[in-house]
Amino acid sequence: AVTDFTLKMAGTCGTERWCGHVHLKVDGEACNDTAAGRAYNAAGFASPISAKLALCAQAAGGHRIELELHKDDHTAVTDAALERVVAVSTFTASQEAAPPPPPPTGPALAISSPAANGQVTMGADHKAPIAFAATGFVLKAPGTCTAADGPCGHVHLKVDGAACNDTVAGKPYNAAGFASPIQANLALCPTAAGAHTALLELHNNDHSPYLQGGQGVTATVQFTAQNPY
């Protein structure tokens, strides 16, 4: 804040005597905007003025600031004792944490059951249900999607990577479906009972993976399967 002084953009004061703007220095000359040929860090004619701490050797940490009144032609304003009109303060700057990534846009996939690291009791056929929900994506039987559906397809399920694929049927996955839940066929694994990792992935109408930003849309859960007896 200033008193008995009019703040205006440099070069616009005209004939007004006590008129000008403010120069901001940080840590003396250490943080001057030398790349722009300026003998100060920043300047302005309204509050606040943003100190450019990126111009300092270290942005975070303690700093000393000086605000100084300057005339229309950038010369310093002096008082009756020919002293510069300056306000001084010190502060400590800390770095803000990076903002969280934006929520995903477009289709998404989430597994609701089993719970992470939970236990699942298999049926007598050694199958375990994997419940899921897809958003922004229409689920239909392969080959039945239309252009009006937008993103459309079905879900492939893999268990323990490729270890439990239905190789007898020539399929590069364990099971597939277009409604929740999909039954994981653990009989296709080397050992049905025990720890497993299930991965669900969105696939297009033609079985090709649905890509978003060059990446597949997947959801993963780890669980332990136990026999029904």
Side-chain angles (χ1 to χ4, degrees):
V2 300
T3 55
D4 299 326
F5 194 83
T6 301
L7 291 174
K8 286 188 177 181
M9 184 183 299
T12 65
C13 285
T15 58
E16 290 187 65
R17 182 182 179 189
W18 299 114
C19 177
H21 55 280
V22 177
H23 284 193
L24 166 66
K25 286 189 174 183
V26 181
D27 301 336
E29 310 292 329
C31 305
N32 283 356
D33 192 355
T34 54
R38 294 170 179 162
Y40 49 84
N41 178 276
F45 57 95
S47 176
I49 296 175
S50 292
K52 303 172 184 176
L53 301 184
L55 299 176
C56 301
Q58 287 190 339
H63 295 284
R64 181 180 187 273
I65 57 170
E66 294 181 28
L67 291 175
E68 183 178 56
L69 293 183
H70 277 250
K71 299 177 184 177
D72 209 25
D73 61 359
H74 288 282
T75 58
V77 173
T78 56
D79 60 17
L82 300 181
E83 297 289 340
R84 295 180 305 136
V85 181
V86 179
V88 179
S89 184
T90 59
F91 69 96
T92 300
S94 58
Q95 190 72 43
E96 288 185 354
T105 57
L109 191 60
I111 294 174
S112 56
S113 177
N117 302 311
Q119 287 197 341
V120 176
T121 300
M122 296 179 288
D125 54 2
H126 292 98
K127 290 184 178 181
I130 309 295
F132 66 94
T135 55
F137 193 84
V138 177
L139 293 173
K140 286 188 175 182
T144 66
C145 293
T146 66
D149 292 323
C152 178
H154 55 282
V155 177
H156 284 193
L157 165 66
K158 285 192 173 184
V159 179
D160 301 337
C164 305
N165 284 355
D166 191 356
T167 54
V168 173
K171 296 175 179 175
Y173 49 84
N174 179 274
F178 56 95
S180 177
I182 294 177
Q183 299 293 328
N185 188 357
L186 302 183
L188 299 175
C189 300
T191 304
H196 296 285
T197 299
L199 180 143
L200 294 181
E201 183 176 48
L202 293 182
H203 277 249
N204 294 311
N205 202 36
D206 61 357
H207 286 282
S208 62
Y210 177 84
L211 300 180
Q212 187 168 253
Q215 301 292 323
V217 178
T218 63
T220 305
V221 68
Q222 294 180 330
F223 65 95
T224 300
Q226 57 186 11
N227 290 311
Y229 43 82

